[in-house]
C-alpha cells in the first residue's frame, strides 16, 4: 500500500533512510550520515512531497519528490527485491511526464534499479557537498 507521508512517519523514514544509505552508500562517512539524519528529519521530509509504502502495517520505504525531481527513493534493505521501489517510482511517474534525479556513481544498487526502470543518463557531475561523483538521470513516459 502506498500513501501520503504523515508526520508520525518521520522516525520510521529516518531509520529506513539510514539503513538503506549504509547498505547502498558505504563510501559515505558516519559524520556525514549523522549530519544528514538531522537534515532528513528537519529539512528534507517537511519540505518534500513524500509517499510511503507499507507492508503488514509497517512503513518499509518511501519516495520524496520536489516537483518532478526525485529527492530520494529508499526501501529498507530487508525488503529489497519485492518491487516496492518500482511501485513508488510508478506512482511518481504517474504524476509527471518526466522525472529526474541524481544517483551516486558508486551506487550500483541504485544505478541498476534506475537502468532497469528505463532512466537515461543525461550527464555526470561532482557533488561538492558529498565529495562524490553523481550521475543525472531522466525518465520520460
Amino acid at each position: 500500500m502506498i500513501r501520503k507521508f504523515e508526520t508520525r512517519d518521520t522516525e520510521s523514514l529516518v531509520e529506513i533512510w539510514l539503513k538503506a544509505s549504509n547498505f547502498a552508500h558505504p563510501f559515505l562517512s558516519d559524520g556525514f550520515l549523522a549530519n544528514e539524519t538531522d537534515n532528513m528529519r528537519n529539512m528534507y521530509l517537511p519540505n518534500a512531497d513524500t509517499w510511503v509504502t507499507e507492508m503488514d502495517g509497517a512503513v518499509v520505504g518511501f519516495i520524496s519528490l520536489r516537483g518532478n525531481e526525485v529527492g530520494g527513493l529508499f526501501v529498507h534493505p530487508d525488503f529489497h527485491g519485492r518491487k516496492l521501489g518500482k511501485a513508488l517510482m510508478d506512482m511518481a511517474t504517474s504524476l509527471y511526464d518526466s522525472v529526474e534525479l541524481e544517483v551516486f556513481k558508486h551506487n550500483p544498487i541504485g544505478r541498476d534499479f534506475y537502468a532497469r526502470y528505463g532512466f537515461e543518463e543525461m550527464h555526470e557531475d561532482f557533488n561538492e557537498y558529498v565529495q562524490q561523483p553523481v550521475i543525472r538521470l531522466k525518465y520520460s513516459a
Side-chain angles (χ1 to χ4, degrees):
M1 174 178 108
I2 296 176
R3 63 171 174 77
K4 288 286 284 178
F5 163 79
E6 298 172 6
T7 304
R8 65 182 170 93
D9 299 319
T10 299
E11 292 311 310
S12 295
L13 298 192
V14 169
E15 180 182 333
I16 290 164
W17 169 80
L18 189 55
K19 286 184 187 279
S21 290
N22 280 321
F23 185 73
H25 310 137
F27 47 85
L28 296 177
S29 72
D30 290 341
F32 174 81
L33 291 173
N35 185 56
E36 285 300 283
T37 297
D38 288 337
N39 289 337
M40 281 294 294
R41 186 179 290 117
N42 300 311
M43 187 176 11
Y44 302 142
L45 290 173
N47 293 303
D49 185 19
T50 300
W51 300 80
V52 302
T53 186
E54 295 179 322
M55 289 194 73
D56 299 323
V59 176
V60 296
F62 68 98
I63 189 168
S64 290
L65 304 169
R66 295 196 65 163
N68 74 326
E69 174 88 13
V70 176
L73 170 62
F74 296 94
V75 174
H76 191 290
D78 292 347
F79 294 88
H80 283 190
R82 299 185 191 194
K83 302 200 182 297
L84 300 172
K86 181 184 181 311
L88 288 164
M89 189 59 71
D90 287 348
M91 194 279 313
T93 59
S94 75
L95 297 173
Y96 299 98
D97 291 335
S98 69
V99 174
E100 295 186 20
L101 57 87
E102 286 185 346
V103 63
F104 289 116
K105 182 177 183 175
H106 301 298
N107 174 1
I109 295 167
R111 291 184 63 192
D112 289 347
F113 170 81
Y114 296 124
R116 283 192 317 270
Y117 196 89
F119 278 82
E120 295 182 5
E121 187 172 323
M122 295 170 63
H123 58 85
E124 187 172 325
D125 205 351
F126 190 79
N127 184 307
E128 294 290 338
Y129 179 64
V130 185
Q131 293 293 298
Q132 289 290 321
V134 293
I135 299 171
R136 184 84 179 164
L137 303 174
K138 182 176 185 175
Y139 175 85
S140 298

